[in-house]
Amino acid sequence: MTVWVLGDQLDPSAAPLQSDDRVLMIEAHGFGDRLPYHPQKLALVFSAMRHFRDDLRERGSEVTYVEAETFGEGLDRYFDAAPGDDLVVMDPPSHGAGERLRELVAARGGSLTLVENDLFLTTPADFDDWAGDADTYRQEHWYRHARRETGVLMDGDDPAGGEWNYDDHNRETPPEGWTPPEAPRFEPDETTREVIEFVRERYPDAWGSPEPFVWPVTREAARQALSHFVEVRLPEFGPYQDAMVDGEWALCHSLLSAAINLGLLHPREAVEAVEEAYEAGDAPINSAEGFVRQVLGWREFVRHVYRRSMPELAAANQLDQTESLPEAYWTAETDMRCLSEAVGHVRDRGYAHHIERLMVLSNFALVYGVDPAELDRWFHLGFVDAYHWVTTPNVVAMGSFATDVLSSKPYASSGNYVNEMSDYCSSCPYAVSKTTGENACPFNALYWDFLKENEERLRGTGRMGLMYSHVDRKDDEEWDAIRARADEIRRMGRAGTL
């Protein structure tokens, strides 16, 4: 039997690799033509695969490594040399992928066994036992259950520090003059440089900059990145995790999501390292809990919600949003300082942190009226850590509120949130204090227009009562001005003059 290792399963401790020394890897290039994927995303996957191949060979495995346009073409070449072989692969988390792979193998006379994917902290059975027959889910309930079941950050039956959630401690903005620690940088070696050049030539329509490429592409480098985060960035991660600072793309964030989603770093390693730092007194509880919530809480949660909610989740659009993305999402050319910064971070590095993703990129698209599926595609193609199982619940369900499967209300806000959590507004030509009129912040009119247009669906929805009390106090004249300004902003967005 031969282990088929996919490009996001690059963990030498994965269960199938413990019993078989024969390995198949297929570097399929054609998928990169489906969307204008960020060149750093493509380079990261291909370089990590090639490095993992070399690592397995050094460990004594017999690795067949095929470069092809498609999995089908790669399997043709493999089975020409090994007719009738039996393959085993960890079931990929993206919807239907495992069955499609099984069909490709069967059509070529082989067999493919799907085994449980052990690159997560919890199993489908764990979540299904907890969720039962539910079809809507809330992360906080799951998170507390997962903490109890795993014992992570627990003091007996109680949460470490006495609280389950330290969000109230993690909404600070850095003081004036504060600078974050320098982000780790992993200089491309010869293999990675060759891949970057290949991507540059093979995918001329890729969106984004191929360099500077700073991501870890080996397990050794991913472990170094984890150590750097725990030792240098973790202490201030918690307080500033929701902050946005002009000119800073990384702040104190871990920058580990790409490595974890590739399998270079197991989420258990990351959680254990952070928990150990807290127990040793090297990190405050709010920083440790904030990170554990992202990994054990949110990452596991969205994986399972996606699994149980597909394929309907991908097509959900309960608010009937139909606008195309504003041109600024492709150019980063806008006078809106927050949007320009967030898009620029994605364009330049294939990354923006979670608050930029949710409260700038998704929030603006939501109140602007963007089709959730189009926004999902943009996130999928633009981020180095993005896969369909990652972006679809985050973007379609949470960011676009296209379904209430994991959230009871939309994450929509005016410019006040950005002003509270960043220093962008002070240098922005738009006035966050204005809703209508010349140079009024685009977020504001769009926000109120969004609430008004979706009143039938949203009024009475969880925690929306206060906002609709403000809606009720506006008179017809004010609403006419708001609608006119919102329409103007959408015209500007389409024309690329926002």
Side-chain angles (χ1 to χ4, degrees):
M1 185 170 284
T2 300
V3 181
W4 186 0
V5 175
L6 302 178
D8 59 352
Q9 300 179 354
L10 308 181
D11 183 355
S13 67
L17 290 172
Q18 307 316 302
S19 55
D20 291 285
D21 291 331
R22 290 194 303 162
V23 174
L24 168 65
M25 299 180 72
I26 300 175
E27 184 182 307
H29 302 146
F31 88 90
D33 295 321
R34 297 174 192 166
L35 294 170
Y37 288 105
H38 200 293
Q40 293 192 40
K41 178 190 184 82
L42 297 170
L44 176 59
V45 172
F46 296 152
S47 179
M49 289 182 68
R50 295 181 189 187
H51 281 93
F52 190 69
R53 169 201 64 195
D54 296 344
D55 179 60
L56 287 179
R57 286 173 174 167
E58 289 179 6
R59 294 167 181 262
S61 294
E62 178 188 335
V63 181
T64 300
Y65 194 90
V66 182
E67 294 184 37
E69 280 300 295
T70 65
F71 279 151
E73 178 187 317
L75 289 170
D76 284 338
R77 289 159 56 185
Y78 177 75
F79 282 111
D80 282 347
D85 196 12
D86 298 321
L87 304 180
V88 60
V89 68
M90 290 196 297
D91 197 3
S94 290
H95 177 70
E99 287 306 316
R100 289 193 295 274
L101 296 181
R102 201 197 315 254
E103 291 170 2
L104 286 173
V105 171
R108 288 154 178 83
S111 70
L112 178 65
T113 301
L114 299 174
V115 298
E116 189 166 291
N117 191 321
D118 61 10
L119 300 182
F120 294 89
L121 290 164
T122 60
T123 68
D126 293 334
F127 192 88
D128 293 346
D129 287 346
W130 170 79
D133 296 330
D135 57 8
T136 60
Y137 318 93
R138 298 297 176 257
Q139 186 264 356
E140 185 66 28
H141 302 154
W142 159 256
Y143 173 58
R144 296 185 185 195
H145 169 79
R147 290 266 299 274
R148 291 188 182 101
E149 290 297 306
T150 61
V152 172
L153 284 183
M154 295 295 293
D155 184 6
D157 294 332
D158 299 317
E163 300 289 341
W164 291 103
N165 185 322
Y166 287 87
D167 279 356
D168 288 345
H169 299 263
N170 291 346
R171 294 178 179 139
E172 298 181 25
T173 52
E176 187 175 348
W178 177 87
T179 56
E182 186 175 351
R185 183 186 181 100
F186 298 91
E187 293 293 338
D189 62 6
E190 182 178 356
T191 297
T192 302
R193 290 194 299 270
E194 290 176 357
V195 170
I196 291 173
E197 189 57 33
F198 164 75
V199 167
R200 198 192 308 267
E201 295 178 1
R202 173 65 177 75
Y203 304 99
D205 297 326
W207 178 76
S209 173
E211 297 176 286
F213 186 94
V214 300
W215 305 105
V217 296
T218 65
R219 173 163 171 73
E220 179 183 5
R223 291 285 300 172
Q224 293 173 5
L226 173 60
S227 296
H228 174 89
F229 170 61
V230 171
E231 296 169 9
V232 178
R233 311 171 77 78
L234 179 61
E236 291 185 301
F237 163 72
Y240 302 146
Q241 68 170 307
D242 286 1
M244 296 174 283
V245 177
D246 199 356
E248 297 291 347
W249 71 278
L251 296 176
C252 293
H253 289 274
S254 72
L255 310 178
L256 297 174
S257 55
I260 291 175
N261 289 349
L262 282 170
L264 296 177
L265 194 66
H266 198 284
R268 183 176 296 106
E269 296 175 274
V271 166
E272 289 177 350
V274 167
E275 186 177 31
E276 289 170 5
Y278 163 69
E279 292 173 346
D282 296 329
I285 183 60
N286 59 310
S287 288
E289 190 277 323
F291 181 80
V292 168
R293 174 178 293 269
Q294 289 185 339
V295 180
L296 175 60
W298 190 251
R299 183 176 185 268
E300 298 290 316
F301 178 68
V302 297
R303 178 244 182 151
H304 294 304
V305 171
Y306 171 89
R307 173 180 56 84
R308 288 170 61 110
S309 303
M310 285 293 289
E312 294 81 8
L313 176 60
N317 190 1
Q318 68 177 351
L319 300 181
D320 296 322
Q321 307 263 68
T322 59
E323 288 283 344
S324 294
L325 277 170
E327 272 299 302
Y329 278 69
W330 302 106
T331 65
E333 295 175 2
T334 169
D335 287 338
M336 292 181 66
R337 189 64 185 160
C338 59
L339 189 59
S340 175
E341 280 281 293
V343 175
H345 293 163
V346 183
R347 178 197 60 201
D348 294 344
R349 300 179 184 274
Y351 176 87
H353 69 70
H354 70 284
I355 291 298
E356 292 176 304
R357 300 187 198 204
L358 178 62
M359 298 309 299
V360 177
L361 296 166
S362 292
N363 180 20
F364 189 78
L366 171 65
V367 296
Y368 185 92
V370 171
D371 181 335
E374 183 169 343
L375 183 64
D376 190 18
R377 285 192 294 272
W378 184 82
F379 269 85
H380 189 185
L381 71 88
F383 282 79
V384 295
D385 56 8
Y387 299 86
H388 197 257
W389 70 267
V390 176
T391 62
T392 304
N394 275 292
V395 176
V396 175
M398 190 175 191
S400 298
F401 196 58
T403 168
D404 58 3
V405 67
L406 58 71
S407 177
S408 62
K409 75 175 188 71
Y411 280 81
S413 78
S414 68
N416 288 337
Y417 180 89
V418 174
N419 191 35
E420 179 182 349
M421 296 309 303
S422 78
D423 60 359
Y424 292 148
C425 298
S426 61
S427 60
C428 182
Y430 289 111
V432 70
S433 60
K434 296 177 63 176
T435 297
T436 59
E438 186 178 357
N439 84 317
C441 174
F443 261 117
N444 295 339
L446 289 174
Y447 172 69
W448 292 112
D449 186 60
F450 170 80
L451 292 182
K452 189 68 170 176
E453 286 297 311
N454 295 285
E455 183 173 4
E456 183 177 351
R457 175 66 182 82
L458 299 179
R459 185 183 283 272
T461 302
R463 295 179 287 168
M464 295 296 290
L466 177 60
M467 292 300 98
Y468 276 97
S469 71
H470 294 303
V471 167
D472 292 340
R473 288 199 288 268
K474 298 183 185 298
D475 59 26
D476 290 345
E477 183 179 356
E478 187 172 0
W479 280 117
D480 287 344
I482 287 171
R483 290 194 184 100
R485 177 61 174 160
D487 288 345
E488 178 186 24
I489 292 163
R490 293 188 181 98
R491 287 194 298 270
M492 295 166 66
R494 297 178 198 122
T497 58
L498 191 61

